[in-house]
Short mmCIF file of all heavy atoms in Angstrom, two decimals:
data_model
loop_
_atom_site.label_atom_id
_atom_site.label_comp_id
_atom_site.label_asym_id
_atom_site.label_seq_id
_atom_site.Cartn_x
_atom_site.Cartn_y
_atom_site.Cartn_z
N TYR A 238 -13.68 -8.34 -26.39
CA TYR A 238 -15.03 -8.53 -26.91
C TYR A 238 -15.28 -9.99 -27.34
O TYR A 238 -16.44 -10.45 -27.29
CB TYR A 238 -15.28 -7.59 -28.09
CG TYR A 238 -15.62 -6.20 -27.58
CD1 TYR A 238 -14.67 -5.21 -27.48
CD2 TYR A 238 -16.92 -5.89 -27.19
CE1 TYR A 238 -14.99 -3.97 -26.98
CE2 TYR A 238 -17.25 -4.66 -26.69
CZ TYR A 238 -16.26 -3.70 -26.59
OH TYR A 238 -16.58 -2.45 -26.07
N THR A 239 -14.21 -10.69 -27.69
CA THR A 239 -14.38 -12.13 -27.96
C THR A 239 -14.85 -12.85 -26.70
O THR A 239 -15.70 -13.74 -26.74
CB THR A 239 -13.04 -12.74 -28.46
OG1 THR A 239 -12.65 -12.10 -29.68
CG2 THR A 239 -13.17 -14.22 -28.68
N THR A 240 -14.28 -12.45 -25.56
CA THR A 240 -14.68 -13.04 -24.30
C THR A 240 -16.14 -12.72 -23.97
O THR A 240 -16.90 -13.58 -23.49
CB THR A 240 -13.77 -12.52 -23.17
OG1 THR A 240 -12.41 -12.78 -23.47
CG2 THR A 240 -14.12 -13.18 -21.82
N PHE A 241 -16.55 -11.46 -24.24
CA PHE A 241 -17.96 -11.10 -24.04
C PHE A 241 -18.88 -12.01 -24.86
O PHE A 241 -19.91 -12.46 -24.38
CB PHE A 241 -18.20 -9.63 -24.42
CG PHE A 241 -18.07 -8.70 -23.26
CD1 PHE A 241 -17.26 -7.57 -23.35
CD2 PHE A 241 -18.77 -8.91 -22.09
CE1 PHE A 241 -17.16 -6.67 -22.29
CE2 PHE A 241 -18.67 -8.02 -21.02
CZ PHE A 241 -17.86 -6.91 -21.13
N ARG A 242 -18.49 -12.24 -26.12
CA ARG A 242 -19.32 -13.07 -26.97
C ARG A 242 -19.38 -14.52 -26.50
O ARG A 242 -20.39 -15.21 -26.65
CB ARG A 242 -18.81 -13.01 -28.43
CG ARG A 242 -19.11 -11.67 -29.13
CD ARG A 242 -18.80 -11.71 -30.60
NE ARG A 242 -17.36 -11.73 -30.84
CZ ARG A 242 -16.61 -10.63 -31.00
NH1 ARG A 242 -17.18 -9.45 -30.92
NH2 ARG A 242 -15.34 -10.72 -31.22
N LEU A 243 -18.28 -14.98 -25.87
CA LEU A 243 -18.28 -16.32 -25.33
C LEU A 243 -19.32 -16.44 -24.19
O LEU A 243 -19.98 -17.48 -24.07
CB LEU A 243 -16.88 -16.67 -24.78
CG LEU A 243 -15.81 -17.03 -25.82
CD1 LEU A 243 -14.46 -17.20 -25.13
CD2 LEU A 243 -16.21 -18.26 -26.61
N PHE A 244 -19.45 -15.39 -23.38
CA PHE A 244 -20.43 -15.43 -22.29
C PHE A 244 -21.86 -15.48 -22.82
O PHE A 244 -22.79 -15.89 -22.13
CB PHE A 244 -20.27 -14.24 -21.37
CG PHE A 244 -19.22 -14.43 -20.31
CD1 PHE A 244 -18.13 -13.61 -20.21
CD2 PHE A 244 -19.36 -15.46 -19.39
CE1 PHE A 244 -17.15 -13.78 -19.24
CE2 PHE A 244 -18.39 -15.66 -18.40
CZ PHE A 244 -17.29 -14.83 -18.33
N ALA A 245 -22.05 -15.04 -24.06
CA ALA A 245 -23.37 -15.11 -24.68
C ALA A 245 -23.53 -16.42 -25.45
O ALA A 245 -24.63 -16.72 -25.93
CB ALA A 245 -23.58 -13.92 -25.62
N GLY A 246 -22.43 -17.18 -25.59
CA GLY A 246 -22.47 -18.41 -26.32
C GLY A 246 -22.16 -19.63 -25.47
O GLY A 246 -22.88 -19.95 -24.52
N LYS A 247 -20.99 -20.27 -25.75
CA LYS A 247 -20.70 -21.55 -25.09
C LYS A 247 -20.38 -21.36 -23.60
O LYS A 247 -20.45 -22.34 -22.84
CB LYS A 247 -19.52 -22.23 -25.78
CG LYS A 247 -18.17 -21.50 -25.66
CD LYS A 247 -17.08 -22.32 -26.33
CE LYS A 247 -15.71 -21.67 -26.13
NZ LYS A 247 -14.64 -22.44 -26.77
N ALA A 248 -20.06 -20.14 -23.18
CA ALA A 248 -19.76 -19.91 -21.75
C ALA A 248 -20.96 -19.36 -20.99
O ALA A 248 -20.81 -18.91 -19.85
CB ALA A 248 -18.57 -18.94 -21.64
N LYS A 249 -22.14 -19.42 -21.63
CA LYS A 249 -23.30 -18.83 -20.95
C LYS A 249 -23.71 -19.58 -19.68
O LYS A 249 -24.37 -19.01 -18.82
CB LYS A 249 -24.49 -18.76 -21.91
CG LYS A 249 -24.97 -20.10 -22.44
CD LYS A 249 -26.05 -19.89 -23.49
CE LYS A 249 -26.53 -21.23 -24.08
NZ LYS A 249 -27.54 -21.02 -25.14
N TRP A 250 -23.28 -20.86 -19.58
CA TRP A 250 -23.58 -21.57 -18.34
C TRP A 250 -22.87 -20.93 -17.14
O TRP A 250 -23.39 -20.89 -16.04
CB TRP A 250 -23.18 -23.06 -18.45
CG TRP A 250 -21.71 -23.32 -18.57
CD1 TRP A 250 -21.00 -23.44 -19.70
CD2 TRP A 250 -20.79 -23.55 -17.50
NE1 TRP A 250 -19.67 -23.68 -19.46
CE2 TRP A 250 -19.53 -23.77 -18.09
CE3 TRP A 250 -20.90 -23.56 -16.11
CZ2 TRP A 250 -18.38 -24.02 -17.34
CZ3 TRP A 250 -19.74 -23.80 -15.37
CH2 TRP A 250 -18.52 -24.04 -15.96
N GLY A 251 -21.68 -20.38 -17.42
CA GLY A 251 -20.95 -19.66 -16.35
C GLY A 251 -21.67 -18.39 -15.94
O GLY A 251 -21.70 -18.01 -14.78
N LEU A 252 -22.29 -17.73 -16.95
CA LEU A 252 -23.06 -16.52 -16.68
C LEU A 252 -24.28 -16.84 -15.85
O LEU A 252 -24.65 -16.13 -14.90
CB LEU A 252 -23.46 -15.86 -18.00
CG LEU A 252 -23.97 -14.43 -17.94
CD1 LEU A 252 -22.93 -13.48 -17.41
CD2 LEU A 252 -24.44 -13.98 -19.32
N PHE A 253 -24.95 -17.94 -16.20
CA PHE A 253 -26.19 -18.35 -15.49
C PHE A 253 -25.87 -18.69 -14.02
O PHE A 253 -26.55 -18.21 -13.12
CB PHE A 253 -26.81 -19.58 -16.19
CG PHE A 253 -28.01 -20.15 -15.47
CD1 PHE A 253 -29.21 -19.47 -15.48
CD2 PHE A 253 -27.90 -21.35 -14.80
CE1 PHE A 253 -30.32 -19.99 -14.81
CE2 PHE A 253 -28.99 -21.89 -14.13
CZ PHE A 253 -30.21 -21.19 -14.14
N ILE A 254 -24.87 -19.53 -13.82
CA ILE A 254 -24.48 -19.87 -12.46
C ILE A 254 -23.97 -18.66 -11.72
O ILE A 254 -24.19 -18.48 -10.51
CB ILE A 254 -23.44 -21.02 -12.44
CG1 ILE A 254 -24.03 -22.28 -13.07
CG2 ILE A 254 -22.96 -21.31 -11.01
CD1 ILE A 254 -23.03 -23.43 -13.17
N GLY A 255 -23.30 -17.77 -12.44
CA GLY A 255 -22.81 -16.52 -11.83
C GLY A 255 -23.95 -15.66 -11.28
O GLY A 255 -23.82 -15.08 -10.20
N PHE A 256 -25.08 -15.61 -12.00
CA PHE A 256 -26.24 -14.88 -11.52
C PHE A 256 -26.79 -15.50 -10.23
O PHE A 256 -27.13 -14.79 -9.27
CB PHE A 256 -27.36 -14.85 -12.57
CG PHE A 256 -27.35 -13.63 -13.40
CD1 PHE A 256 -27.03 -13.64 -14.75
CD2 PHE A 256 -27.70 -12.38 -12.86
CE1 PHE A 256 -27.07 -12.51 -15.51
CE2 PHE A 256 -27.73 -11.23 -13.59
CZ PHE A 256 -27.39 -11.28 -14.94
#
Side-chain angles (χ1 to χ4, degrees):
Y238 280 96
T239 298
T240 304
F241 266 129
R242 287 190 287 271
L243 284 174
F244 276 120
K247 67 177 184 179
K249 60 185 177 183
W250 67 269
L252 194 63
F253 175 74
I254 297 177
F256 263 113

